[in-house]
Amino acid sequence: MTITDWTQRFHGTSHLPDAVRARLRAAARIVKFRNGAQVFGPDNVPDSLMFLYEGRIRVSQSSDTGREIVLYRVEAGESCVLTTACMLAEEAYNAEGIAETDVTAIVLPKLAFDRLAAEEDAFRDFVFQAYSRRLIDLLRVVDDVAFGRIDVRLAERLLALADAANEVQATHQQLASELGTAREVVSRVLHDFQKRELVSQSRGKITLTDTTALQALAHST
Amino acid sequence: MTITDWTQRFHGTSHLPDAVRARLRAAARIVKFRNGAQVFGPDNVPDSLMFLYEGRIRVSQSSDTGREIVLYRVEAGESCVLTTACMLAEEAYNAEGIAETDVTAIVLPKLAFDRLAAEEDAFRDFVFQAYSRRLIDLLRVVDDVAFGRIDVRLAERLLALADAANEVQATHQQLASELGTAREVVSRVLHDFQKRELVSQSRGKITLTDTTALQALAHST
DNA sequence: GTCTCTTCAGTGACAATGTCACGAAAGCCG
DNA sequence: CGGCTTTCGTGACATTGTCACTGAAGAGAC
């Protein structure tokens, strides 16, 4: 994938014009992370703005009691606004970004970012839109956690994480961290799903055997 | 309060310079809301950007089962970024802003906003910072809801809502809506607080009788 | 192979929180 | 005073979270 591809890939209706892409390419610096590496976190505050070129980043927040919840995922073509937020806000917070695949990111020094934001409407819109999308994502997380049933949320997440063969490669602990709950809870719900023949399990893997029923469950209030 | 005062009031380290203030004043339009009025919501999507000039707005999200949770409050001098997010994102979401006092807001038409964002670094920084702060606010909400104990959260909120006389004018239902829980839960916890002589109650009013102990509880884990 | 070691999953008991169905008490107003 | 609405209290139960422990599955050593 070229940078040109990337700049065309960002989510939204508008596309960055050639001139902006060229300027972005000129100012950008490429950084790579291995699968599993921490891209940013409380002890690793980047001083520049990051755009994801290739791969996927999982952004999660952890409690001081060891529990964890996934906030959202950054896909190729999206920007990682939390790094910006992190930069601007002095307050500490305990969110971190973990590379879920090998990751290539574009780092834009703050100065170059400012210039682009000032001079290119399309770029500025892109960044504002990125912020907006993350806000909406977080609203959804709040809604789920505050008001959602755990079985519904697990069904949703299983469907979202399943591969083409309807299999989810994840331990119960990892699924618990997706939802911000405890492993035992996931085990119990999955056991129930199994009895209802919605899924079958083996160590570290869930097979969705009745996606229709799971979808019905996921979409029930 | 003048607009000049307002532009100096926004949270952060930098201040908007005179030139920016003048331009803002020139482009702005004033809108007023009564205490209790809905400033924005699912059925009331503004087409412009809003900055709060005077008063306070409570932004909350409600579930389809009737429960509700307060996300944050917008104070005078801050911008209401959810309206922006709302504009940019097509997706529906169920957050709404309610005026907690009589409110005076500054509405900046999108075109004027774009020009200012393009031409004034300080203004752009202000807006980015506003977004960042809201993101951080929401991270805190997620953390509280997903991992926090209800008694600790209630103690925190009581302290935050108390007036100079250490009194909180709120029904149990309203406090439940602050925290995204059920009235009965608030009733039970307050009853417990009362037995421990941390608060005393009368209809629609809580008096904090031992703020020290409440603070200790609020700051525990 | 089988032994050990680590990671992962299952389970029962209990605590914390949410839901439901009531009824009692406090204030308002005729 | 006597209705009326809103607010609060409460018990029973469902769901979810915590703790302590057990057993099962796989990886590697031998």
Side-chain angles (χ1 to χ4, degrees), chain A residues 135-146 156 218, chain B residues 61:
Chain A
L135 272 174
I136 304 281
D137 285 346
L138 286 184
L139 287 185
R140 176 62 194 271
V141 173
V142 169
D143 193 85
D144 280 358
V145 173
E156 276 177 14
Chain B
Q61 186 175 36

Side-chain angles (χ1 to χ4, degrees), chain A residues 171-172 183-184 203-204:
Chain A
T171 66
H172 292 187
R183 177 192 61 79
E184 296 92 321
R203 189 186 175 87

Side-chain angles (χ1 to χ4, degrees), chain A residues 22-35:
Chain A
R23 296 191 55 181
L24 194 52
R25 184 165 53 235
R29 192 163 55 82
I30 300 290
V31 182
K32 288 174 182 294
F33 297 91
R34 290 292 173 81
N35 187 343

Side-chain angles (χ1 to χ4, degrees), chain A residues 127-140:
Chain A
V127 175
F128 279 129
Q129 200 164 56
Y131 264 97
S132 298
R133 292 185 56 74
R134 290 315 169 206
L135 272 174
I136 304 281
D137 285 346
L138 286 184
L139 287 185
R140 176 62 194 271

Side-chain angles (χ1 to χ4, degrees), chain B residues 67 149-151 180-185 188 203:
Chain B
R67 262 164 67 197
R149 293 178 51 87
I150 203 74
D151 51 353
T181 182
R183 178 193 60 79
E184 296 92 321
V185 175
R188 278 198 291 250
R203 190 185 174 88

Side-chain angles (χ1 to χ4, degrees), chain B residues 12-199:
Chain B
T13 52
S14 53
H15 287 246
L16 292 181
D18 290 342
V20 182
R21 274 184 259 149
R23 297 190 55 180
L24 194 51
R25 185 165 53 233
R29 192 163 54 84
I30 300 290
V31 183
K32 287 174 182 295
F33 297 91
R34 290 293 173 80
N35 186 342
Q38 189 193 62
V39 177
F40 70 94
D43 308 322
N44 176 15
V45 177
D47 59 346
S48 309
L49 290 114
M50 259 188 0
F51 300 84
L52 195 51
Y53 173 64
E54 213 165 28
R56 190 173 61 242
I57 298 173
R58 180 183 68 242
V59 178
S60 59
Q61 186 175 36
S62 50
S63 76
D64 28 36
T65 66
R67 262 164 67 197
E68 197 178 340
I69 184 169
V70 172
L71 299 172
Y72 55 81
R73 287 178 162 81
V74 184
E75 305 278 348
E78 299 180 337
S79 82
C80 189
V81 294
L82 255 185
T83 60
T84 325
C86 192
M87 269 180 52
L88 295 172
E90 317 76 28
E91 310 177 47
Y93 66 95
N94 40 8
E96 64 171 6
I98 302 289
E100 280 198 319
T101 64
D102 284 353
V103 155
T104 310
I106 295 183
V107 170
L108 199 59
K110 172 129 179 61
L111 227 73
F113 173 83
D114 282 341
R115 257 207 316 278
L116 270 172
E119 298 170 12
E120 301 288 355
D121 292 358
F123 180 78
R124 202 173 50 246
D125 282 351
F126 170 57
V127 175
F128 279 130
Q129 199 163 56
Y131 265 97
S132 298
R133 290 184 54 75
R134 291 314 169 207
L135 273 174
I136 304 281
D137 286 345
L138 286 184
L139 288 185
R140 176 62 193 270
V141 174
V142 169
D143 191 86
D144 279 358
V145 173
F147 308 127
R149 293 178 51 87
I150 203 74
D151 51 353
V152 174
R153 294 175 58 211
L154 182 55
E156 274 176 15
R157 199 53 67 106
L158 286 174
L159 289 165
L161 294 175
D163 59 20
N166 279 330
E167 288 180 351
V168 178
Q169 306 288 335
T171 66
H172 293 187
Q173 179 56 62
Q174 284 169 332
L175 291 171
S177 294
E178 291 280 335
L179 304 179
T181 182
R183 178 193 60 79
E184 296 92 321
V185 175
V186 170
S187 292
R188 278 198 291 250
V189 175
L190 279 177
H191 192 75
D192 179 55
F193 284 2
Q194 202 172 16
K195 275 196 292 192
R196 292 157 64 186
E197 300 190 340
L198 306 182
V199 306

